[in-house]
Amino acid sequence: MAEAPVPTPITEWPDYNVNPQGGDVWTQDMNALYDKGDLCWLLVCSCLCWQITPAIGFLYAGMHRRKAALTMIFQSLFCACACGIQFWIYGYSLYQSHTTGPFIGDLSLAGLHNVLAYPSLANSDIPDILYACFGFTFVTATAMILAGAMLERGRLWPSMLFLLCWTTFVYYVLAYFEWNPSGWLYQLGVMDFAGSGPVHIASGFSALAWSLMLGRRKDPHGESVHHKIPHFRPHNPFLVGLGTILIWFGWFAFNGASTANLSLRSVYVVVNTNLAACGGGIAWTLLEYCFSKKFSIIGFCSGIIAGLVGITPAAGFVPVYTASLIGFLTSCSSFFVVRYKHLISIDDGLDVFAIHGVGGFVGDIMTGFFAASWVPALDGATTTYAGGWYSHNWKQMGYQLAAATTCAAWSFVISIILLFIIDHIPGLHLRASEEDELRGLDFKYFHDTEGEMMMLNGYGAATPGMTLSGIVGGSGTGSEAGGMPTTPAKQD
C-alpha cells in the first residue's frame, strides 16, 4: 500500500472567501504558522475560564436562603450546557463572522461550520476554533451572572427561556458592537479589553430590569433584616467565600487570555487583575467597618468581585500602578449603591446591578481616564491606541461613556421587552406562586429536597441540619433506605 503524502507546512493563509478553513488538512500542516505557546496559553485559559460559571453558582447559592440554593446550582449547570449549545449553533457566528456589517453578524459560521485553522478576528496569532473555545466561556458566565436576578421568586422554565433569548438579542449584539472589527463601537475606538459592556454592564442592567418585572419577595413573617426592602441573611457565607476564590482564580484566565496570545501584555494583565481585586476587597471592608464597626465575609467577597469587574475593561490598557486604585474606586461606587439601593425600591438581593452594572460602568469610564498608549504595545504588535485622558487623548472619555451608555440602555430596554413577552405567553408567567416562593423553589423543582431531606435518586444521602422525612424515594423508612437521622433545624 502506498504511503499517504506528508502534509507540507503552510506558508501563508489563502483568501478567506476562497478557503475559510485556512487550507487543506490532508496536504497542508496548518499548525506551522502558529506559535505553540500562544495555542497552549489560550487552550489552558479556556479550560480555567469554564469553572467561573459553576463558581458563580456557588457564590449565589451561598447568598440565597437555603430553600432556594439548589436552584442557583442548577442554573449554573444550565447556563454552562444550554448556552454552550446555543453558542455552537449560532452564537459564535453572530458576533465573530468574517463577512458582516456594523450591527450584527450573519450565520456563515453556524454550527461552527468553517471554523478551523484560519486566523481569528481577535488576533491573527490564534485560529478561529481556539478563539471559539475561549469565547464559549464568556457567554455562559455572563448568563449566569444575570441568573441571580430571579432570586427566590422567579419560575425556572420562564427563567431559562429568558436567558437563551437574552444571550441572543442582548449579549451577542453588544459583543458584536465591541469585539468584531466591523462593529460600530469597535470602529469608534472604544476600549473594552475583556468585556465590561457585553458582560458586566449588560448583565447588571438586565438584572435590574428582571428584578423590576418580578417585584419584591414576600415576607409575611417580617423576617427581613432591612425595614424598607426584603433582605435576608445568606445561609452559607462559607460557600460565598469558596465561590469568590474560584471566580478570582478563573478571572486571571478570563482577563489574561483576552490578549489572544502569550506576551508581556498577558502577564501585565494578570498583575493588573490581581491588584484590582485586592484594592476592591480592601475598599469594601474598610467602608463596611466604618459604618457597622464589624467585618463581613459577604462584604469582602463583594468588594473583591467589584474590583475584578472594574478592571475588566481596563486590564490591557492601564499602567500597573493604577490597577489597585481602579479596583478601590469601583468597589466604593458599588458599596454605596448597595447601601442606598432601597431608594429605588427594587429587590435585587444579590446586588447584580450594583456590582456588575454600576461597577462595569465605572470601570469603562476609568479605562478612558487611565489608559496609556504604551500598555497595549506590550504584546509586540499593537501600536494603534492613543491612550486615554491621562495621556491627553481627551475624546476617549466620550467614547467610553458612549459605549457604557449604549450597553446599559440596550440591555435594559431589550430585557424589559423580552420579559414582558415571555410573561404574557400562557404557562410562562415569570413569578412563582406565593406558596412556592415561601416554601422554596428547591422544593418546587427538585426531587433532591423531597420530604425536607437531601437525596440522591432516592437512596437517602441526607444533609445534616435538615429534618428526617421518614420516607425516601416513596417506600420504606428513612433509616431503611439509608437516610441518616439529623437534628431538626428551622428551615430558612
Side-chain angles (χ1 to χ4, degrees):
M1 180 182 293
E3 294 185 2
V6 177
T8 58
I10 191 170
T11 57
E12 64 177 349
W13 300 111
D15 182 83
Y16 181 81
N17 295 319
V18 174
N19 191 335
Q21 292 191 347
D24 181 2
V25 67
W26 297 109
T27 61
Q28 295 175 303
D29 177 10
M30 292 184 288
N31 297 285
L33 293 178
Y34 290 119
D35 184 276
K36 298 300 188 294
D38 291 339
L39 301 184
C40 180
W41 171 246
L42 262 292
L43 185 58
V44 170
C45 285
S46 297
C47 297
L48 293 178
C49 284
W50 177 87
Q51 57 92 38
I52 292 178
T53 302
I56 297 171
F58 292 154
L59 172 75
Y60 285 174
M63 294 179 72
H64 274 62
R65 286 176 288 179
R66 188 171 58 197
K67 64 184 181 181
L70 282 183
T71 304
M72 285 293 100
I73 300 296
F74 179 90
Q75 280 288 43
S76 70
L77 298 175
F78 170 80
C79 291
C81 295
C83 293
I85 295 294
Q86 180 195 51
F87 180 88
W88 162 62
I89 294 174
Y90 63 84
Y92 184 70
S93 188
L94 284 184
Y95 83 105
Q96 283 296 309
S97 48
H98 290 247
T99 53
T100 51
F103 293 103
I104 191 63
D106 55 28
L107 296 179
S108 60
L109 303 181
L112 297 187
H113 175 65
N114 285 331
V115 177
L116 192 60
Y118 202 85
S120 68
L121 291 176
N123 194 325
S124 59
D125 291 340
I126 63 168
D128 241 353
I129 188 64
L130 181 53
Y131 192 68
C133 181
F134 183 55
F136 171 97
T137 64
F138 275 63
V139 64
T140 58
T142 305
M144 188 54 212
I145 292 171
L146 173 59
M150 65 178 286
L151 181 65
E152 299 181 349
R153 80 274 200 206
R155 294 178 66 229
L156 200 53
W157 283 109
S159 299
M160 293 188 291
L161 175 61
F162 170 64
L163 289 172
L164 291 175
C165 292
W166 183 87
T167 51
T168 302
F169 296 105
V170 176
Y171 175 82
Y172 289 123
V173 171
L174 297 179
Y176 182 84
F177 286 175
E178 291 204 352
W179 292 335
N180 192 296
S182 298
W184 72 275
L185 287 177
Y186 186 102
Q187 292 284 333
L188 187 65
V190 170
M191 296 180 182
D192 187 355
F193 181 72
S196 176
V199 177
H200 299 294
I201 295 176
S203 59
F205 279 83
S206 294
L208 182 67
W210 199 353
S211 299
L212 175 66
M213 294 293 286
L214 284 173
R216 294 158 60 131
R217 284 169 289 173
K218 304 293 183 182
D219 184 24
H221 305 298
E223 299 174 20
S224 173
V225 297
H226 195 286
H227 65 288
K228 291 186 177 180
I229 56 173
H231 181 71
F232 306 97
R233 296 188 185 281
H235 91 281
N236 195 333
F238 177 83
L239 200 56
V240 175
L242 176 62
T244 302
I245 291 168
L246 293 174
I247 290 170
W248 193 346
F249 177 61
W251 221 288
F252 291 143
F254 192 83
N255 282 359
S258 290
T259 55
N261 65 4
L262 180 58
S263 60
L264 281 175
R265 191 184 184 193
S266 308
V267 179
Y268 205 82
V269 165
V270 171
V271 174
N272 274 344
T273 300
N274 200 38
L275 289 173
C278 296
I282 293 298
W284 197 296
T285 301
L286 290 176
L287 287 170
E288 198 162 45
Y289 188 82
C290 288
F291 282 99
S292 68
K293 302 305 178 185
K294 286 188 177 181
F295 299 114
S296 164
I297 292 295
I298 307 297
F300 212 146
C301 291
S302 297
I304 289 170
I305 294 174
L308 292 171
V309 170
I311 200 63
T312 293
F317 297 111
V318 300
V320 70
Y321 47 81
T322 65
S324 290
L325 178 60
I326 290 174
F328 191 96
L329 294 175
T330 304
S331 183
C332 290
S333 302
S334 298
F335 174 86
F336 284 107
V337 173
V338 170
R339 183 166 181 82
Y340 297 107
K341 65 182 179 181
H342 62 273
L343 296 177
I344 60 175
S345 194
I346 293 178
D347 185 8
D348 179 21
L350 300 186
D351 300 319
V352 183
F353 169 68
I355 293 175
H356 295 275
V358 174
F361 207 102
V362 171
D364 257 11
I365 301 303
M366 286 193 289
T367 301
F369 188 87
F370 288 114
S373 59
W374 59 270
V375 175
L378 288 171
D379 65 4
T382 304
T383 58
T384 57
Y385 289 98
W389 185 280
Y390 196 68
S391 299
H392 303 155
N393 182 26
W394 317 116
K395 62 183 180 181
Q396 191 62 42
M397 289 285 283
Y399 294 159
Q400 298 302 115
L401 182 60
T405 304
T406 297
C407 292
W410 179 271
S411 56
F412 184 85
V413 172
I414 299 300
S415 295
I416 289 288
I417 294 172
L418 291 174
L419 289 163
F420 180 83
I421 293 173
I422 293 172
D423 193 43
H424 284 78
I425 297 175
L428 289 178
H429 54 279
L430 300 173
R431 181 80 184 238
S433 68
E434 183 173 353
E435 178 184 358
D436 290 336
E437 179 185 341
L438 293 178
R439 186 166 185 248
L441 297 182
D442 290 357
F443 293 92
K444 166 68 175 177
Y445 292 111
F446 304 108
H447 69 73
D448 308 77
T449 56
E450 287 176 4
E452 297 186 286
M453 181 166 68
M454 301 293 290
M455 300 187 303
L456 181 61
N457 293 330
Y459 295 105
T463 296
M466 302 187 77
T467 59
L468 182 65
S469 67
I471 298 177
V472 179
S475 63
T477 65
S479 57
E480 290 171 346
M484 296 184 294
T486 58
T487 303
K490 180 182 177 181
Q491 175 65 46
D492 291 333

